[in-house]
Amino acid sequence: MGEPWSTGELAYWRWRAGELMSAPEVAASPYRRLLDGDWAGAADEWRRLDCPYRRAEALACGDAEAAGEALRILDALGAVRTARRLRAELRGRGLARVPRGPRPATAANPPGLTARQLEVLALVVDGLSDAEIAARLSLSARTVGHHVSAVLGKLAVPNRGQAAAVARRRGLVPPT
């Protein structure tokens, strides 16, 4: 029982099952912090260790904002069952607005773009401005700006030109 990571993980699962009240001293730090009530510190350690799933588990123990971040991480990872369980937990906590998660079509799209975001991306690739896209799709320019911003974020690019290049390279838009 002297190995910190195995001890920590076992303690975590016992804690989740309601069998453990405090963390063993030998448990690895992020587990110990979480079991001692420092979900934010545990989440930060998991972030530094590049363990997004464990980070989401720690954030899920926090306030509504942290739990929302946990859901975004779980959805991005495709951890459907864990996200579903967390959504049920949040409803049980009395949260009025629990994000429903991505629709199946969005989840099936590799970068997680919605159908509308794919439409907007295709028009960005064609070189249209926000105002031109808004007119074409019967939306406000402000709404289009939000869609473009979401597309840039999901594609992890800083500008429209790079978004267009990524879209072409990944086959997200029909070839021209």
Side-chain angles (χ1 to χ4, degrees):
M1 204 62 190
E3 207 288 314
W5 294 102
S6 297
T7 300
E9 187 166 8
L10 178 60
Y12 168 74
W13 288 110
R14 288 184 64 204
W15 175 74
R16 289 286 314 250
E19 295 179 9
L20 184 70
M21 299 312 286
S22 64
E25 268 311 303
V26 70
S29 177
Y31 289 114
R32 204 172 50 254
R33 290 179 92 157
L34 180 60
L35 273 57
D36 289 343
D38 182 10
W39 60 266
D44 190 48
E45 282 196 45
W46 286 122
R47 181 190 52 74
R48 282 195 309 272
L49 292 167
D50 196 24
C51 297
Y53 185 86
R54 295 289 185 212
R55 178 171 181 251
E57 287 179 319
L59 289 168
C61 297
D63 58 18
E65 186 178 333
E69 176 67 13
L71 282 174
R72 286 187 289 281
I73 292 168
L74 294 170
D75 288 339
L77 292 172
V80 176
R81 287 185 181 153
T82 305
R84 189 178 308 135
R85 178 188 47 79
L86 178 55
R87 283 183 173 86
E89 271 181 36
L90 294 175
R91 287 184 195 98
R93 286 189 210 173
L95 261 64
R97 297 191 55 164
V98 177
R100 66 169 166 70
R103 294 180 177 180
T106 303
N109 180 298
L113 298 172
T114 66
R116 178 62 85 185
Q117 290 167 348
L118 284 168
E119 281 182 291
V120 169
L121 177 59
L123 296 172
V124 165
V125 170
D126 288 344
L128 275 65
S129 69
D130 285 2
E132 292 168 325
I133 294 170
R136 177 93 45 103
L137 298 178
S138 300
L139 299 171
S140 73
R142 185 176 183 174
T143 298
V144 170
H146 289 297
H147 285 306
V148 170
S149 193
V151 167
L152 296 178
K154 289 180 178 181
L155 296 179
V157 295
N159 59 52
R160 297 164 78 101
Q162 288 185 16
V166 167
R168 287 186 193 102
R169 188 171 54 250
R170 291 189 189 173
L172 299 175
V173 293
T176 55

